[in-house]
Amino acid sequence: MDIILLWLTRILVFLIGCVFALFSSCKGGDTKLYTRNEILTILSERYGKEFVIVEKLKTTDFDTKWTVKSRFYAAAPTDDQEKIFWVYDEVKKYSGLYFPSYGHNSLQDTYAHDCFLQGFDTLTRERQLSCIYRYRDNTIDVSDHLSQQHLQGGEFCFFINQDNAEETVTAVFEICGKLKEEFPLLNHQQFFLIVSFYDESETVIDGKKLLGGVYFSPCKPDYSSGEYATADSVLQKIFEMYEESQ
């Protein structure tokens, strides 16, 4: 009798689980992508200005195995519609305690990111600082990258030695400060972008990660400390890197 009750209990738990899983799946299907008006409202609140959707694009290039559905747009400021940037709306499946849940990944756009990217590239050239820009572990020209569909991210790589490290890092932080003066929106937006420093002996190969450098995010605080990087904190890590290599 006890064995029968045990099996009946297991069957009941299994059936309840199936019902919850079915409900969860339906819930994922019911989570809608943002409408164009909702996207424009979010962008306006994010940046304090008006935007337009230039085009809705068909692509799954930025989807992952967790993506339930997505939509990709080209957008632009209303007062400068040639300044195209990219917007990615994604409904994503998240792993729950027992069953998956569904919801929007935060609406990702590249407006502030691209302003910084273009400005940083221009100022490094003016200062005659030698660096490369990498996206998805491939070296790419910044102008070409901005004209292609992309999300936030990428890495400006500087190749240094012990003699020019301080001069290079100081110049980089001066450029970051100047950009935040020219584009006040950069003082309030957090986006994914890395600036890194590697020893000049490092070999760059497309498709492979660069290892062993010192890096910081100019528009996001450090994950562990919660503080934004400074020239002094980056230089300290660089000097420690060289001490460890000796």
Side-chain angles (χ1 to χ4, degrees):
M1 188 68 176
D2 290 341
I3 294 176
I4 294 174
L5 287 174
L6 177 62
W7 277 104
L8 286 173
T9 302
R10 289 178 176 177
I11 291 170
L12 181 61
V13 170
F14 173 75
L15 291 174
I16 292 173
C18 289
V19 171
F20 273 110
L22 180 62
F23 174 76
S24 206
S25 298
C26 293
K27 186 178 179 182
D30 288 342
T31 304
K32 296 180 180 179
L33 293 165
Y34 291 118
T35 66
R36 291 189 179 211
N37 286 339
E38 286 173 332
I39 289 172
L40 292 175
T41 298
I42 292 170
L43 293 175
S44 178
E45 291 174 350
R46 192 172 286 176
Y47 295 112
K49 60 190 306 181
E50 298 302 314
F51 296 91
V52 295
I53 298 295
V54 176
E55 186 180 4
K56 182 175 74 174
L57 302 163
K58 291 184 178 180
T59 180
T60 58
D61 289 351
F62 308 105
D63 293 353
T64 69
K65 65 179 181 180
W66 304 109
T67 303
V68 178
K69 48 192 170 183
S70 67
R71 196 169 288 157
F72 197 78
Y73 297 92
T78 302
D79 58 2
D80 188 4
Q81 296 189 25
E82 293 186 359
K83 193 177 182 63
I84 297 293
F85 64 97
W86 313 100
V87 180
Y88 180 63
D89 181 18
E90 177 190 27
V91 171
K92 196 173 182 180
K93 179 170 70 174
Y94 298 90
S95 296
L97 183 59
Y98 297 106
F99 305 103
S101 61
Y102 299 85
H104 282 278
N105 194 12
S106 59
L107 186 76
Q108 187 176 156
D109 76 87
T110 68
Y111 181 60
H113 173 275
D114 290 356
C115 286
F116 186 94
L117 203 66
Q118 188 170 41
F120 193 89
D121 182 61
T122 299
L123 291 176
T124 54
R125 292 176 187 273
E126 289 179 1
R127 295 284 295 267
Q128 297 183 332
L129 295 175
S130 179
C131 70
I132 60 173
Y133 176 72
R134 304 187 92 218
Y135 182 72
R136 292 184 169 180
D137 297 326
N138 292 305
T139 303
I140 185 171
D141 180 80
V142 169
S143 296
D144 290 341
H145 179 66
L146 290 172
S147 67
Q148 300 172 12
Q149 296 175 16
H150 61 273
L151 296 183
Q152 298 177 15
E155 178 181 12
F156 279 104
C157 307
F158 292 83
F159 298 92
I160 59 173
N161 55 50
Q162 294 188 62
D163 294 330
N164 64 16
E166 184 170 358
E167 180 182 357
T168 303
V169 170
T170 300
V172 166
F173 273 87
E174 287 174 354
I175 288 172
C176 291
K178 185 173 182 180
L179 285 173
K180 290 183 178 183
E181 290 178 2
E182 293 181 1
F183 302 101
L185 61 91
L186 296 176
N187 293 315
H188 305 288
Q189 299 302 322
Q190 293 187 9
F191 49 81
F192 300 101
L193 183 69
I194 296 297
V195 178
S196 57
F197 303 90
Y198 297 92
D199 185 74
E200 60 188 7
S201 63
E202 184 71 42
T203 302
V204 181
I205 301 174
D206 276 357
K208 291 188 177 182
K209 292 184 179 296
L210 292 171
L211 303 174
V214 173
Y215 61 90
F216 75 97
S217 177
C219 290
K220 285 182 75 70
D222 181 77
Y223 286 111
S224 57
S225 68
E227 301 290 333
Y228 283 88
T230 64
D232 287 341
S233 66
V234 171
L235 278 170
Q236 181 179 349
K237 291 179 180 179
I238 289 174
F239 294 146
E240 289 173 355
M241 175 185 75
Y242 278 116
E243 287 177 1
E244 291 173 359
S245 65
Q246 292 177 355

